[in-house]
């Protein structure tokens, strides 16, 4: 059962599909070795990254993530300050401590292989792990990182369309916008209330609320860190962090009445979060790491400038955003390797626009309209990160998406009727457009800005 809060995961940057997913997969593999009681027999371990993971894996921190995962670290709890130190240690010692329990020789140039020209047939983000006892294979598994930090194995990928099917019976199941908005209308529920009712089959309302507040708090902290740090981001591009300078220039005390400046400030918040993401900091996938800044940028704008902001309203914001994200997960994809940046920034903008419309008092029609407008004008957005780093265009793109979401919410609030294009129409179109898009525009860094901007 996929829930609204599953669209958000607190974890390390810079990429949910290329950092968080591979880190979870490699951790899962060593945990499996442990449960099967064979971890102590391992004399050699080989990790293979295929397709998009290999092509942009260095810039997206995939190699570092795999090394941390094999060492027993989880993206949510890993200390960002120790993340790179552990990698340096493994490189220096030429040894890895599997699950922090069993040391084996490990040379990343021979034991962690990047297959840049080979794509596994099932998905562009494939990886495999093989554990040996001398020449005998003890265990071999393939995993796929399918976006937003979600991973599936060999068997699960075969049933991917059913993977989010109802394994738990919920009172208000939905997979499309028509179903979600129809159920809300019929029962007189807000979107937040409907997804909460669904969650009550597996947890208490109090637990669910605590989880929602934890996500909101993590987003808020990532904004505060993002706007307070200066300097350069890691990587060959030598990108200077801008959020702190923008925030200071905007003279925060004097802009309360100017929507224009408030939008600029929301851009600074979003940019700050994605600078944190690029620096291997802690952020919340929303719905991915590359797009982690858009929703917190808009949320922080609402916290500071919204009227009568309450904890309930913040929870409504995050649950509405999550429910809209679920529609894309069900009906299309949130993986840039599958559908380009439409699936990251496009979806984040759609989620943020709908969430802001909801907490500003929008009707169901207006919320659906905001979600639809945001994606309609993100159709065709390619993924072409320069140097394979989640920096250019990613960071600024979050700022622009946050500002757009604020405008879109305000536009939707002025209109009372549904337009000609439904949210489901646009979700379907986004998927088709993504499938038609050339592979070089789908998180491979082989096209677009990635080849036209000199990286030196
Ligand atoms: S261009 Fe978009 S999809 Fe690609 S890495 Fe950057 S944020 Fe993610």
């Amino acid at each position: 059962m996929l829930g609204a809060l599953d669209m958000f995961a607190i974890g390390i940057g810079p990429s949910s599909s290329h950092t968080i997913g591979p880190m979870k997969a490699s951790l899962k593999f060593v945990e499996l070795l442990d449960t099967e009681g064979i971890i102590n027999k391992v004399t050699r371990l080989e990790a293979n990254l295929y397709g998009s993971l290999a092509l942009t894996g260095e810039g997206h921190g995939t190699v570092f993530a795999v090394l941390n995962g094999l060492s027993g670290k989880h993206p949510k709890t890993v200390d960002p300050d120790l993340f790179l130190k552990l990698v340096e240690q493994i490189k220096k010692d030429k040894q890895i401590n599997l699950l922090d329990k069993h040391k084996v020789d490990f040379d990343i140039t021979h034991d962690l292989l990047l297959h840049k020209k080979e794509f596994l047939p099932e998905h562009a983000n494939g990886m495999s792990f093989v554990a040996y006892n001398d020449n005998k294979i003890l265990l071999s598994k393939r995993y796929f990182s399918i976006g937003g930090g979600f991973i599936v194995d060999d068997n699960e990928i075969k049933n991917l369309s059913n993977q989010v099917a109802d394994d738990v019976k919920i009172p208000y199941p939905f997979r499309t916008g028509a179903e979600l908005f129809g159920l809300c209308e019929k029962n007189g529920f807000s979107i937040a209330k409907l997804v909460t009712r669904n969650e009550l089959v597996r947890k208490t309302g109090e637990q669910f609320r605590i989880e929602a507040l934890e996500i909101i708090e993590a987003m808020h902290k990532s904004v505060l860190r993002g706007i307070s740090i200066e300097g350069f981001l890691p990587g060959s591009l030598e990108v200077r962090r801008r959020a702190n300078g923008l925030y200071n220039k905007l003279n925060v005390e004097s802009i309360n009445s100017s929507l224009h400046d408030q939008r600029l400030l929301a851009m600074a918040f979003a940019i700050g979060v994605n600078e944190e993401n690029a620096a291997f900091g802690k952020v919340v996938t929303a719905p991915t790491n590359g797009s982690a800044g858009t929703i917190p940028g808009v949320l922080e704008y609402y916290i500071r400038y919204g009227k009568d902001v309450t904890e309930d309203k913040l929870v409504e914001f995050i649950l509405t955003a999550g429910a809209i994200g679920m529609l894309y997960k069900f009906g299309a994809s949130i993986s840039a390797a599958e559908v380009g940046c439409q699936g990251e920034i496009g979806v984040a903008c759609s989620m943020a626009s709908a969430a802001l419309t909801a907490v500003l008092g929008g009707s169901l029609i207006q919320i659906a309209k905001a979600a639809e407008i945001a994606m309609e004008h993100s159709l065709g957005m390619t993924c072409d990160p320069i140097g394979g780093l989640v920096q250019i265009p990613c960071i600024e793109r979050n700022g622009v998406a946050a500002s757009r979401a604020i405008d879109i919410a305000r536009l939707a609030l002025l209109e009372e009727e549904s337009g000609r294009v439904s949210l489901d129409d646009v979700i379907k179109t986004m998927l088709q457009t993504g499938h038609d898009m050339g592979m070089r525009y789908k998180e491979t860094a082989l096209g677009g800005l990635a080849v036209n901007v000199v990286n030196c």
Side-chain angles (χ1 to χ4, degrees):
M1 169 191 158
L2 184 74
L5 292 183
D6 294 330
M7 301 309 299
F8 307 104
I10 302 167
I12 196 148
S15 166
S16 43
S17 57
H18 287 56
T19 318
I20 292 185
M23 192 163 166
K24 280 161 76 177
S26 46
L27 175 60
K28 207 167 172 183
F29 181 72
V30 286
E31 282 174 345
L32 189 59
L33 284 171
D34 193 36
T35 357
E36 303 227 334
I38 50 177
I39 196 164
N40 290 327
K41 294 184 183 152
V42 178
T43 54
R44 187 165 84 80
L45 190 135
E46 182 185 289
N48 297 284
L49 302 175
Y50 296 91
S52 174
L53 290 183
L55 285 161
T56 56
E58 281 154 319
H60 282 44
T62 313
V63 169
F64 307 155
V66 167
L67 295 176
N68 271 269
L70 292 174
S71 306
K73 309 289 180 217
H74 190 281
K76 184 173 177 183
T77 49
V78 67
D79 181 343
D81 292 336
L82 300 181
F83 183 77
L84 291 179
K85 283 188 185 148
L86 179 63
V87 173
E88 289 313 313
Q89 196 65 44
I90 293 166
K91 282 184 184 168
K92 186 167 149 265
D93 298 347
K94 292 198 181 338
Q95 257 198 348
I96 193 162
N97 194 7
L98 300 179
L99 203 59
D100 211 14
K101 283 183 171 186
H102 175 65
K103 284 189 180 168
V104 289
D105 291 343
F106 194 89
D107 181 342
I108 68 163
T109 49
H110 298 122
D111 298 320
L112 205 165
L113 304 168
L114 304 181
H115 303 272
K116 295 189 178 181
K117 294 192 173 155
E118 193 180 345
F119 282 72
L120 295 183
E122 295 91 337
H123 195 280
N125 291 335
M127 66 204 110
S128 72
F129 300 95
V130 191
Y132 296 89
N133 178 270
D134 294 329
N135 288 328
K136 189 178 148 220
I137 293 179
L138 290 172
L139 185 68
S140 170
K141 283 286 282 181
R142 296 193 310 158
Y143 296 96
F144 303 89
S145 180
I146 58 170
F150 291 90
I151 52 162
V152 289
D153 66 16
D154 273 330
N155 290 324
E156 290 161 335
I157 191 106
K158 290 180 199 144
N159 301 311
L160 202 50
S161 55
N162 299 325
Q163 190 229 341
V164 284
D166 300 332
D167 48 350
V168 177
K169 205 118 191 83
I170 51 173
Y172 304 103
F174 65 88
R175 294 179 71 82
T176 65
E179 287 168 355
L180 170 64
F181 288 97
L183 282 168
C184 288
E185 182 76 45
K186 186 172 159 204
N187 294 286
F189 288 169
S190 66
I191 292 175
K193 188 166 181 180
L194 185 130
V195 295
T196 303
R197 288 289 176 94
N198 281 346
E199 287 294 329
L200 296 182
V201 301
R202 61 175 178 178
K203 56 188 72 152
T204 66
E206 187 53 23
Q207 279 172 328
F208 188 52
R209 188 178 175 85
I210 289 169
E211 282 175 28
L213 292 173
E214 193 189 7
I215 288 163
I216 291 163
E217 180 64 14
M219 285 185 173
H220 177 61
K221 280 188 180 156
S222 67
V223 167
L224 296 185
R225 274 197 314 273
I227 55 173
S228 62
I229 301 174
E230 293 177 279
F232 289 87
L233 295 172
S236 58
L237 295 177
E238 297 188 353
V239 171
R240 185 188 285 279
R241 294 178 76 134
R242 301 148 77 193
N244 175 261
L246 290 170
Y247 180 72
N248 291 334
K249 268 191 199 146
L250 282 166
N251 189 1
V252 178
E253 300 306 320
S254 66
I255 66 169
N256 283 325
S257 58
S258 159
L259 177 60
H260 175 69
D261 283 354
Q262 289 170 5
R263 280 204 314 265
L264 282 172
L265 199 58
M267 290 178 88
F269 296 147
I271 286 171
V273 173
N274 273 78
E275 287 175 347
E276 266 303 283
N277 180 58
F280 302 102
K282 276 252 168 90
V283 296
V284 182
T285 63
T288 65
N289 275 42
S291 59
T294 304
I295 292 173
V298 176
L299 179 63
E300 192 70 21
Y301 154 83
Y302 174 66
I303 291 171
R304 296 196 186 204
Y305 303 113
K307 286 203 182 80
D308 306 322
V309 178
T310 60
E311 202 173 89
D312 282 349
K313 284 278 187 191
L314 300 184
V315 171
E316 181 179 9
F317 181 101
I318 212 71
L319 295 183
T320 309
I324 298 300
M326 288 168 73
L327 299 177
Y328 288 96
K329 185 108 182 80
F330 286 137
S333 171
I334 56 168
S335 164
E338 258 188 293
V339 294
C341 202
Q342 306 174 110
E344 295 206 12
I345 301 285
V347 174
C349 189
S350 182
M351 293 164 73
S353 302
L356 185 60
T357 306
V359 293
L360 292 180
S363 65
L364 290 169
I365 287 177
Q366 290 167 329
I367 296 167
K369 191 163 189 136
E372 181 279 311
I373 294 171
M375 179 51 75
E376 185 180 330
H377 305 290
S378 300
L379 289 174
M381 193 188 282
T382 58
C383 169
D384 52 358
I386 300 175
L389 295 163
V390 194
Q391 297 182 3
I392 306 172
C394 322
I395 294 170
E396 199 172 76
R397 197 169 274 179
N398 276 273
V400 173
S403 172
R404 284 175 63 218
I406 294 167
D407 284 345
I408 289 168
R410 303 242 166 225
L411 176 67
L413 286 165
L414 293 174
E415 304 196 70
E416 265 130 46
E417 290 176 6
S418 308
R420 291 289 297 272
V421 184
S422 74
L423 179 54
D424 290 329
D425 290 336
V426 88
I427 291 174
K428 188 175 160 196
T429 307
M430 179 270 230
L431 181 64
Q432 285 171 353
T433 308
H435 286 167
D436 291 342
M437 207 181 263
M439 193 52 83
R440 64 186 183 283
Y441 295 113
K442 295 196 278 192
E443 214 165 11
T444 55
L446 295 174
L449 288 174
V451 295
N452 287 311
V453 178
V454 181
N455 173 17
C456 59

